[in-house]
Amino acid sequence: MFVGLLLLTAGSSWFAESESARGVATTAFIMTVVAAKLHLVGMHFMELRHAPFALKLAFHGWIVVVWGLIVGFS
């Protein structure tokens, strides 16, 4: 799990810094990677996989709202 998060971070950082990475599509891709990482951290390291459904729904709703705001304003 930890190695996967490191690889996702390194890959998205490299992609974001590359010369071809410009525009809304790049922002959407990187924010999608960030959302996946947030999901993994929340479920595995914050123990949300054992949390009540309402808390999981609020957590994932927050991820979607933040993703939409950042991509929408880019």
Side-chain angles (χ1 to χ4, degrees):
M1 178 63 58
F2 184 71
V3 173
L5 288 171
L6 286 174
L7 290 173
L8 283 172
T9 300
S12 61
S13 296
W14 173 80
F15 184 71
E17 294 295 325
S18 70
E19 290 300 317
S20 63
R22 300 289 180 255
V24 177
T26 301
T27 303
F29 172 73
I30 291 182
M31 286 309 299
T32 302
V33 172
V34 168
K37 287 172 41 181
L38 279 170
H39 167 77
L40 291 172
V41 168
M43 291 296 118
H44 297 285
F45 295 109
M46 294 171 58
E47 297 293 331
L48 285 175
R49 65 178 170 245
H50 302 297
F53 178 74
L55 186 58
K56 289 181 197 178
L57 187 64
F59 177 72
H60 287 99
W62 175 77
I63 292 173
V64 169
V65 166
V66 170
W67 184 93
L69 285 171
I70 292 174
V71 171
F73 283 120
S74 66

